[in-house]
Amino acid sequence: MTSAIEKIWAEIDKNQDEVVELTRELVKIPSVNPKFQAEQGLNREADVQTLIQGQLKDAGFKTDRWDVFENRPNVTGEWDGSDEKSLILCGHIDVVPVGDASAWDRDPFGGQVDKGRVWGRGAVDMKGGVAACLAAANAIRRAGVELDGRLAIHSVVDEEAGGFGAMDLVKTRPLAKRAIVAEPTWGAVVPAEGGLSWVRVTIFGKQAHAGWRFNSIWPQPHTEGRIEPGVNAIELANRFLNALRDFEASRCRDNWHPLVPAGLATINPGVIRGGAGMGEDGNPAIMTNAAIISDVVTIDLDYKFMPDEDFEDVKAEFEAFVANFAAMDPWMRENPPKILWDLFDLNFPPMNTPIDHPLTQSLFERAGQI
Ligand SMILES: [Zn+2]
């Protein structure tokens, strides 16, 4: 066993240029996730996958390729072996947009090598990781080492906009007993990661014309038969967000795990929409008329939770917080906010691989982390 590992290390050392060159080749093919920026010349995930599939075939992998979205394929490669010791090496090949191009010193798709680094979009996150998976397989093959277990390399699309490439793979393709994701961690072995759900909170008010707002600020002496005050959902949402900030802080204080950063359990309000009337898509129907007292606000939250938290407990805790918040207001008590979990099907379960698991131990040892 030791000699096999030494042989593989020797191959890796001997072929360091290989992983650098492959990373550069991958960076040079722009594969910006089209959900962020739809522009044909930049959305070349399929071309990256063609390159990777070729590499996999050259290394003797049996490959598979299928579209997750139109012309956005996943690619996998597999070496046969026992299921008991099966392992997946996984990476994504989409990248986020360049942003302000003039702020770059170098061509974001140039793959330039300078100061001992490869520069460009995706060099770190995570074409470098994908290249490392392929280089590892090549080193094993060149060292002439036969693996007992089945080894798979998964190259997926659409990580940056929800992870739907990997989710499709999990639902439709054979998996393995263990998996290593080659995301950048600055070389650290990270066996634990928090979970995530996107959550929509809808807050309801009572619609009225802004011309009647004065009667909610300055109660009028003769209100009988006059229009009752509206209830502004945007103002309720403002109060809700303030309370949420305190709730988030208490969750971040109370929950900790030794292997993830303190304060990980954040609840980020990422999107807010306010207006009048409930639209068919679950958002306010009218968002262009400031003369209507708003009766619908939707707030979309990025809700993170800890590696060892159970999702059902997480849901129950937040639902209790919202119910208590609503109970403090006579209007909201009768018209409670609505909570929708896993908005757009976005739900990442946490992972919490024990540190005494054989894979974790082996990785710690190789990385010099113990
Ligand atoms: Zn990534």
Side-chain angles (χ1 to χ4, degrees), residues 1-15 18 79 135-147:
M1 179 70 161
T2 313
S3 80
I5 291 168
E6 273 165 12
K7 270 194 229 161
I8 295 167
W9 273 121
E11 285 299 328
I12 288 172
D13 287 341
K14 210 160 60 189
N15 296 286
E18 177 193 5
W79 282 341
N138 282 335
I140 294 168
R141 189 179 50 118
R142 276 195 295 256
V145 171
E146 285 283 321
L147 300 178

mmCIF file of all heavy atoms in Angstrom, residues 1-15 18 79 135-147:
data_model
loop_
_atom_site.group_PDB
_atom_site.id
_atom_site.type_symbol
_atom_site.label_atom_id
_atom_site.label_comp_id
_atom_site.label_asym_id
_atom_site.label_seq_id
_atom_site.Cartn_x
_atom_site.Cartn_y
_atom_site.Cartn_z
ATOM 1 N N MET A 1 0.835 -1.203 0.000
ATOM 2 C CA MET A 1 0.000 0.000 0.000
ATOM 3 C C MET A 1 0.869 1.252 0.000
ATOM 4 O O MET A 1 0.707 2.151 -0.815
ATOM 5 C CB MET A 1 -0.906 -0.033 1.250
ATOM 6 C CG MET A 1 -1.807 1.170 1.383
ATOM 7 S SD MET A 1 -3.098 1.191 0.134
ATOM 8 C CE MET A 1 -4.229 2.318 0.896
ATOM 9 N N THR A 2 1.859 1.273 0.912
ATOM 10 C CA THR A 2 2.716 2.448 1.009
ATOM 11 C C THR A 2 3.462 2.678 -0.300
ATOM 12 O O THR A 2 3.580 3.807 -0.778
ATOM 13 C CB THR A 2 3.732 2.271 2.169
ATOM 14 O OG1 THR A 2 3.004 1.810 3.286
ATOM 15 C CG2 THR A 2 4.425 3.574 2.497
ATOM 16 N N SER A 3 3.927 1.582 -0.903
ATOM 17 C CA SER A 3 4.703 1.772 -2.133
ATOM 18 C C SER A 3 3.796 2.262 -3.260
ATOM 19 O O SER A 3 4.218 3.052 -4.106
ATOM 20 C CB SER A 3 5.427 0.480 -2.508
ATOM 21 O OG SER A 3 4.542 -0.397 -3.143
ATOM 22 N N ALA A 4 2.558 1.808 -3.268
ATOM 23 C CA ALA A 4 1.622 2.293 -4.301
ATOM 24 C C ALA A 4 1.422 3.799 -4.159
ATOM 25 O O ALA A 4 1.460 4.541 -5.145
ATOM 26 C CB ALA A 4 0.290 1.559 -4.170
ATOM 27 N N ILE A 5 1.239 4.237 -2.911
ATOM 28 C CA ILE A 5 1.029 5.673 -2.682
ATOM 29 C C ILE A 5 2.275 6.459 -3.088
ATOM 30 O O ILE A 5 2.182 7.499 -3.742
ATOM 31 C CB ILE A 5 0.650 5.919 -1.195
ATOM 32 C CG1 ILE A 5 -0.743 5.340 -0.920
ATOM 33 C CG2 ILE A 5 0.689 7.407 -0.864
ATOM 34 C CD1 ILE A 5 -1.118 5.256 0.540
ATOM 35 N N GLU A 6 3.435 5.924 -2.733
ATOM 36 C CA GLU A 6 4.682 6.625 -3.098
ATOM 37 C C GLU A 6 4.830 6.744 -4.606
ATOM 38 O O GLU A 6 5.249 7.775 -5.123
ATOM 39 C CB GLU A 6 5.889 5.887 -2.501
ATOM 40 C CG GLU A 6 6.168 6.376 -1.081
ATOM 41 C CD GLU A 6 7.102 5.444 -0.317
ATOM 42 O OE1 GLU A 6 7.710 4.548 -0.954
ATOM 43 O OE2 GLU A 6 7.188 5.599 0.919
ATOM 44 N N LYS A 7 4.478 5.664 -5.302
ATOM 45 C CA LYS A 7 4.577 5.697 -6.773
ATOM 46 C C LYS A 7 3.662 6.784 -7.344
ATOM 47 O O LYS A 7 4.024 7.493 -8.278
ATOM 48 C CB LYS A 7 4.141 4.336 -7.343
ATOM 49 C CG LYS A 7 5.278 3.337 -7.495
ATOM 50 C CD LYS A 7 4.799 2.186 -8.374
ATOM 51 C CE LYS A 7 5.120 0.851 -7.719
ATOM 52 N NZ LYS A 7 4.351 -0.268 -8.214
ATOM 53 N N ILE A 8 2.463 6.885 -6.768
ATOM 54 C CA ILE A 8 1.509 7.888 -7.273
ATOM 55 C C ILE A 8 2.010 9.305 -6.972
ATOM 56 O O ILE A 8 1.983 10.179 -7.836
ATOM 57 C CB ILE A 8 0.099 7.647 -6.680
ATOM 58 C CG1 ILE A 8 -0.455 6.313 -7.182
ATOM 59 C CG2 ILE A 8 -0.850 8.790 -7.057
ATOM 60 C CD1 ILE A 8 -1.678 5.818 -6.431
ATOM 61 N N TRP A 9 2.521 9.499 -5.760
ATOM 62 C CA TRP A 9 3.092 10.823 -5.424
ATOM 63 C C TRP A 9 4.213 11.185 -6.393
ATOM 64 O O TRP A 9 4.320 12.333 -6.843
ATOM 65 C CB TRP A 9 3.657 10.836 -3.993
ATOM 66 C CG TRP A 9 2.652 11.182 -2.936
ATOM 67 C CD1 TRP A 9 2.300 10.410 -1.876
ATOM 68 C CD2 TRP A 9 1.875 12.393 -2.822
ATOM 69 N NE1 TRP A 9 1.342 11.047 -1.109
ATOM 70 C CE2 TRP A 9 1.068 12.266 -1.668
ATOM 71 C CE3 TRP A 9 1.770 13.553 -3.585
ATOM 72 C CZ2 TRP A 9 0.182 13.250 -1.250
ATOM 73 C CZ3 TRP A 9 0.890 14.542 -3.180
ATOM 74 C CH2 TRP A 9 0.107 14.382 -2.027
ATOM 75 N N ALA A 10 5.040 10.195 -6.698
ATOM 76 C CA ALA A 10 6.166 10.450 -7.604
ATOM 77 C C ALA A 10 5.655 10.910 -8.965
ATOM 78 O O ALA A 10 6.196 11.838 -9.582
ATOM 79 C CB ALA A 10 7.021 9.190 -7.742
ATOM 80 N N GLU A 11 4.587 10.264 -9.436
ATOM 81 C CA GLU A 11 3.997 10.663 -10.729
ATOM 82 C C GLU A 11 3.445 12.080 -10.663
ATOM 83 O O GLU A 11 3.569 12.857 -11.609
ATOM 84 C CB GLU A 11 2.884 9.688 -11.127
ATOM 85 C CG GLU A 11 3.366 8.353 -11.631
ATOM 86 C CD GLU A 11 4.229 8.460 -12.877
ATOM 87 O OE1 GLU A 11 4.007 9.386 -13.688
ATOM 88 O OE2 GLU A 11 5.134 7.626 -13.033
ATOM 89 N N ILE A 12 2.808 12.408 -9.535
ATOM 90 C CA ILE A 12 2.249 13.759 -9.385
ATOM 91 C C ILE A 12 3.383 14.788 -9.406
ATOM 92 O O ILE A 12 3.314 15.809 -10.100
ATOM 93 C CB ILE A 12 1.411 13.855 -8.080
ATOM 94 C CG1 ILE A 12 0.111 13.065 -8.246
ATOM 95 C CG2 ILE A 12 1.117 15.313 -7.722
ATOM 96 C CD1 ILE A 12 -0.718 12.917 -6.986
ATOM 97 N N ASP A 13 4.460 14.496 -8.654
ATOM 98 C CA ASP A 13 5.596 15.425 -8.615
ATOM 99 C C ASP A 13 6.222 15.604 -9.992
ATOM 100 O O ASP A 13 6.595 16.703 -10.388
ATOM 101 C CB ASP A 13 6.657 14.912 -7.625
ATOM 102 C CG ASP A 13 6.186 15.088 -6.186
ATOM 103 O OD1 ASP A 13 5.265 15.908 -5.969
ATOM 104 O OD2 ASP A 13 6.721 14.402 -5.288
ATOM 105 N N LYS A 14 6.319 14.484 -10.706
ATOM 106 C CA LYS A 14 6.978 14.506 -12.014
ATOM 107 C C LYS A 14 6.151 15.294 -13.044
ATOM 108 O O LYS A 14 6.683 15.806 -14.006
ATOM 109 C CB LYS A 14 7.146 13.049 -12.490
ATOM 110 C CG LYS A 14 8.339 12.816 -13.372
ATOM 111 C CD LYS A 14 8.747 11.359 -13.422
ATOM 112 C CE LYS A 14 7.667 10.439 -13.939
ATOM 113 N NZ LYS A 14 7.960 9.013 -13.797
ATOM 114 N N ASN A 15 4.856 15.356 -12.834
ATOM 115 C CA ASN A 15 3.975 15.945 -13.870
ATOM 116 C C ASN A 15 3.235 17.183 -13.366
ATOM 117 O O ASN A 15 2.075 17.396 -13.683
ATOM 118 C CB ASN A 15 2.964 14.901 -14.339
ATOM 119 C CG ASN A 15 3.627 13.730 -15.026
ATOM 120 O OD1 ASN A 15 4.077 13.838 -16.151
ATOM 121 N ND2 ASN A 15 3.751 12.625 -14.316
ATOM 122 N N GLU A 18 1.424 19.369 -15.800
ATOM 123 C CA GLU A 18 0.187 18.860 -16.391
ATOM 124 C C GLU A 18 -1.044 19.543 -15.779
ATOM 125 O O GLU A 18 -1.930 20.014 -16.498
ATOM 126 C CB GLU A 18 0.116 17.348 -16.154
ATOM 127 C CG GLU A 18 -1.157 16.710 -16.653
ATOM 128 C CD GLU A 18 -1.336 15.279 -16.133
ATOM 129 O OE1 GLU A 18 -0.521 14.821 -15.306
ATOM 130 O OE2 GLU A 18 -2.300 14.637 -16.562
ATOM 131 N N TRP A 79 -14.045 4.371 -13.676
ATOM 132 C CA TRP A 79 -13.246 3.152 -13.746
ATOM 133 C C TRP A 79 -13.981 2.100 -12.935
ATOM 134 O O TRP A 79 -14.445 2.396 -11.826
ATOM 135 C CB TRP A 79 -11.880 3.360 -13.084
ATOM 136 C CG TRP A 79 -10.868 4.109 -13.905
ATOM 137 C CD1 TRP A 79 -10.875 4.319 -15.240
ATOM 138 C CD2 TRP A 79 -9.679 4.748 -13.398
ATOM 139 N NE1 TRP A 79 -9.775 5.040 -15.615
ATOM 140 C CE2 TRP A 79 -9.019 5.311 -14.498
ATOM 141 C CE3 TRP A 79 -9.121 4.879 -12.127
ATOM 142 C CZ2 TRP A 79 -7.830 6.011 -14.376
ATOM 143 C CZ3 TRP A 79 -7.930 5.570 -11.999
ATOM 144 C CH2 TRP A 79 -7.286 6.132 -13.116
ATOM 145 N N ALA A 135 -5.739 15.076 -12.959
ATOM 146 C CA ALA A 135 -4.302 14.804 -12.805
ATOM 147 C C ALA A 135 -4.077 13.670 -11.813
ATOM 148 O O ALA A 135 -3.162 12.850 -11.985
ATOM 149 C CB ALA A 135 -3.578 16.076 -12.352
ATOM 150 N N ALA A 136 -4.915 13.616 -10.769
ATOM 151 C CA ALA A 136 -4.785 12.538 -9.779
ATOM 152 C C ALA A 136 -5.054 11.186 -10.448
ATOM 153 O O ALA A 136 -4.317 10.211 -10.243
ATOM 154 C CB ALA A 136 -5.762 12.768 -8.622
ATOM 155 N N ALA A 137 -6.111 11.148 -11.269
ATOM 156 C CA ALA A 137 -6.433 9.896 -11.962
ATOM 157 C C ALA A 137 -5.290 9.500 -12.913
ATOM 158 O O ALA A 137 -4.898 8.325 -12.972
ATOM 159 C CB ALA A 137 -7.740 10.049 -12.726
ATOM 160 N N ASN A 138 -4.761 10.488 -13.620
ATOM 161 C CA ASN A 138 -3.655 10.202 -14.544
ATOM 162 C C ASN A 138 -2.439 9.659 -13.799
ATOM 163 O O ASN A 138 -1.755 8.758 -14.285
ATOM 164 C CB ASN A 138 -3.272 11.465 -15.321
ATOM 165 C CG ASN A 138 -4.263 11.733 -16.444
ATOM 166 O OD1 ASN A 138 -4.923 10.817 -16.929
ATOM 167 N ND2 ASN A 138 -4.384 12.992 -16.838
ATOM 168 N N ALA A 139 -2.193 10.224 -12.621
ATOM 169 C CA ALA A 139 -1.034 9.774 -11.834
ATOM 170 C C ALA A 139 -1.222 8.320 -11.392
ATOM 171 O O ALA A 139 -0.279 7.522 -11.431
ATOM 172 C CB ALA A 139 -0.837 10.690 -10.631
ATOM 173 N N ILE A 140 -2.433 7.985 -10.996
ATOM 174 C CA ILE A 140 -2.724 6.599 -10.580
ATOM 175 C C ILE A 140 -2.493 5.645 -11.759
ATOM 176 O O ILE A 140 -1.862 4.601 -11.636
ATOM 177 C CB ILE A 140 -4.187 6.479 -10.073
ATOM 178 C CG1 ILE A 140 -4.372 7.286 -8.779
ATOM 179 C CG2 ILE A 140 -4.577 5.026 -9.853
ATOM 180 C CD1 ILE A 140 -5.827 7.463 -8.361
ATOM 181 N N ARG A 141 -2.987 6.088 -12.919
ATOM 182 C CA ARG A 141 -2.867 5.227 -14.109
ATOM 183 C C ARG A 141 -1.397 5.054 -14.500
ATOM 184 O O ARG A 141 -0.927 3.952 -14.735
ATOM 185 C CB ARG A 141 -3.648 5.870 -15.259
ATOM 186 C CG ARG A 141 -3.806 4.990 -16.489
ATOM 187 C CD ARG A 141 -4.608 5.737 -17.532
ATOM 188 N NE ARG A 141 -4.049 7.079 -17.715
ATOM 189 C CZ ARG A 141 -3.543 7.524 -18.857
ATOM 190 N NH1 ARG A 141 -3.531 6.764 -19.905
ATOM 191 N NH2 ARG A 141 -3.060 8.745 -18.939
ATOM 192 N N ARG A 142 -0.662 6.175 -14.527
ATOM 193 C CA ARG A 142 0.751 6.099 -14.946
ATOM 194 C C ARG A 142 1.593 5.294 -13.964
ATOM 195 O O ARG A 142 2.569 4.655 -14.345
ATOM 196 C CB ARG A 142 1.324 7.506 -15.106
ATOM 197 C CG ARG A 142 1.024 8.122 -16.463
ATOM 198 C CD ARG A 142 1.901 9.329 -16.720
ATOM 199 N NE ARG A 142 1.598 10.378 -15.765
ATOM 200 C CZ ARG A 142 0.888 11.467 -16.053
ATOM 201 N NH1 ARG A 142 0.463 11.671 -17.288
ATOM 202 N NH2 ARG A 142 0.635 12.359 -15.141
ATOM 203 N N ALA A 143 1.182 5.351 -12.691
ATOM 204 C CA ALA A 143 1.929 4.594 -11.678
ATOM 205 C C ALA A 143 1.631 3.094 -11.786
ATOM 206 O O ALA A 143 2.260 2.279 -11.115
ATOM 207 C CB ALA A 143 1.566 5.102 -10.286
ATOM 208 N N GLY A 144 0.650 2.771 -12.629
ATOM 209 C CA GLY A 144 0.301 1.357 -12.814
ATOM 210 C C GLY A 144 -0.400 0.750 -11.614
ATOM 211 O O GLY A 144 -0.371 -0.466 -11.414
ATOM 212 N N VAL A 145 -1.042 1.611 -10.804
ATOM 213 C CA VAL A 145 -1.721 1.110 -9.602
ATOM 214 C C VAL A 145 -3.156 0.708 -9.959
ATOM 215 O O VAL A 145 -3.876 1.483 -10.597
ATOM 216 C CB VAL A 145 -1.729 2.196 -8.496
ATOM 217 C CG1 VAL A 145 -2.608 1.774 -7.328
ATOM 218 C CG2 VAL A 145 -0.307 2.489 -8.037
ATOM 219 N N GLU A 146 -3.528 -0.503 -9.585
ATOM 220 C CA GLU A 146 -4.904 -0.969 -9.809
ATOM 221 C C GLU A 146 -5.727 -0.687 -8.561
ATOM 222 O O GLU A 146 -5.360 -1.132 -7.464
ATOM 223 C CB GLU A 146 -4.898 -2.484 -10.079
ATOM 224 C CG GLU A 146 -4.412 -2.890 -11.444
ATOM 225 C CD GLU A 146 -5.460 -2.650 -12.528
ATOM 226 O OE1 GLU A 146 -6.659 -2.886 -12.252
ATOM 227 O OE2 GLU A 146 -5.073 -2.212 -13.627
ATOM 228 N N LEU A 147 -6.817 0.029 -8.708
ATOM 229 C CA LEU A 147 -7.655 0.328 -7.544
ATOM 230 C C LEU A 147 -8.641 -0.811 -7.302
ATOM 231 O O LEU A 147 -9.147 -1.405 -8.252
ATOM 232 C CB LEU A 147 -8.440 1.623 -7.766
ATOM 233 C CG LEU A 147 -7.626 2.891 -8.003
ATOM 234 C CD1 LEU A 147 -8.576 4.067 -8.265
ATOM 235 C CD2 LEU A 147 -6.726 3.204 -6.809
#
